[in-house]
Amino acid sequence: MRIVSLLPSTTEILFAVGAGPQVVGVTFECDTPAEARTRTIVSTTAIPEGLPPHEIDAFVSRAMAAGEDLYHLDSGALSALDADLVVTQDLCAVCAVDVSVVDDALAYLGCRAEVLTIDPHSLDEVLGSVETLGAASGCGDAAADLVRDLRGRLATVQEQVSGATRPRALVLEWTDPAFAPGHWVPEMVTVAGGTNALGDAGEKSVRVTWEAVRDSAPEVIVCAPCGYDLEGSTQLAHAAIASGELPSGIPVWAVDANASFARPGPRLVDGVEALAGILHPGLAPAPRADMARRLR
């Protein structure tokens, strides 16, 4: 089977379950594992490089209002790969190539590849997508083993924080302007032993005012801006602190959002473990230095 993966998360999952040799095409963002960078890149972004967060938000807002695509699919590269399976999403037009774009491209090219849409909204659905991709790639047993391990780790976290006071935690999915989290992130806070201060599980992330951030009365703030690693998140968190918009006198953490919060793959469990260490020091192991950093 020849597989094209149009999501960093599904690329990671496919390699994790042993289907890496079948992956022939990926996106410009697929960087985990490192071997994924050796595959043909079939999609790129329309967002100019180097923009600060507020300009990225403005660019995305204009493009969405105009009905423009934020990602470019290289139809020539896709055709040359002669894929049997193309994995894409219908979850977020800001995150990756939309399934409608893929369907149109394949129809135009006359390709008969199967299109598999992965759209998880919760941790359980993320784990379900691991099993789905395992089955689709002929790696069902390995996928089942991986999911069993991930569920075991989540159960361990819940045992560690069971009975503890649940601090109010706010995860910022963007910092300029502020966005409250959605999809699986509020659930991550809950599993890690916290109370999600702003944003709804299973729903889209939403733009919020800084007044709403302060009114949510968080006891801990975690900066996890979508698309940023730990260093990038740290810079944006420092900027948010310097702006004076964050509630004063409470801890502020930066995390590797790309690795363990934004991408719906196995490393979300790393994010839950990191959150547990942030929210419950002494009960759960401290987060790894390459995953989280306290700034205040």
Side-chain angles (χ1 to χ4, degrees):
M1 179 178 290
R2 297 172 62 80
I3 303 173
V4 170
S5 171
L6 298 178
L7 296 165
S9 58
T10 56
T11 297
E12 181 178 344
I13 291 169
L14 287 164
F15 275 86
V17 301
Q22 301 178 63
V23 176
V24 294
V26 297
T27 80
F28 74 105
E29 291 182 304
C30 293
D31 54 11
T32 302
E35 185 183 350
R37 303 300 292 167
T38 67
R39 303 310 197 255
T40 299
I41 294 176
V42 299
S43 75
T44 56
T45 181
I47 302 173
E49 292 186 11
L51 295 182
H54 71 280
E55 291 186 21
I56 294 175
D57 178 74
F59 182 94
V60 169
S61 296
R62 287 194 301 269
M64 297 298 289
E68 298 172 354
D69 294 324
L70 290 173
Y71 293 87
H72 300 310
L73 184 63
D74 187 337
S75 297
L78 181 60
S79 178
L81 290 174
D82 191 25
D84 302 299
L85 176 67
V86 178
V87 184
T88 186
Q89 57 94 46
D90 195 21
L91 178 69
C92 175
V94 178
C95 296
V97 177
D98 187 82
V99 64
S100 62
V101 176
V102 178
D103 287 338
D104 290 345
L106 292 177
Y108 174 77
L109 295 168
C111 295
R112 297 183 179 181
E114 178 187 354
V115 177
L116 176 60
T117 305
I118 301 294
D119 292 323
H121 291 75
S122 66
L123 285 176
D124 194 60
E125 289 178 359
V126 171
L127 297 180
S129 71
V130 173
E131 295 174 326
T132 297
L133 285 165
S137 61
C139 299
D141 289 344
D145 289 343
L146 176 57
V147 169
R148 190 178 303 109
D149 175 69
L150 295 172
R151 289 192 185 281
R153 288 168 58 191
L154 290 173
T156 296
V157 170
Q158 291 176 302
E159 291 172 4
Q160 290 168 341
V161 302
S162 176
T165 300
R166 291 181 166 269
R168 294 180 60 80
L170 170 63
V171 180
L172 288 174
E173 287 200 359
W174 201 252
T175 58
D176 189 11
F179 270 73
H183 299 124
W184 48 83
V185 174
E187 184 184 359
M188 291 172 66
V189 173
T190 301
V191 175
T195 298
N196 189 60
L198 203 59
D200 297 317
E203 303 296 331
K204 293 181 179 180
S205 59
V206 293
R207 187 188 304 237
V208 296
T209 65
W210 287 112
E211 181 180 11
V213 168
R214 291 186 288 272
D215 288 347
S216 70
E219 297 170 82
V220 179
I221 292 177
V222 177
C223 288
C226 184
Y228 287 83
D229 61 10
L230 180 56
E231 293 307 318
S233 296
T234 297
Q235 293 177 17
L236 297 186
H238 275 308
I241 292 171
S243 73
E245 297 285 10
L246 297 180
S248 61
I250 64 172
V252 176
W253 287 75
V255 297
D256 187 337
N258 261 358
S260 304
F261 287 81
R263 297 177 178 178
R267 289 186 295 169
L268 288 185
V269 177
D270 293 349
V272 171
E273 292 169 340
L275 281 173
I278 289 169
L279 299 176
H280 296 285
L283 293 180
R288 299 198 317 262
D290 64 335
M291 288 184 55
R293 182 177 299 156
R294 181 169 177 172
L295 307 181
R296 186 174 74 181

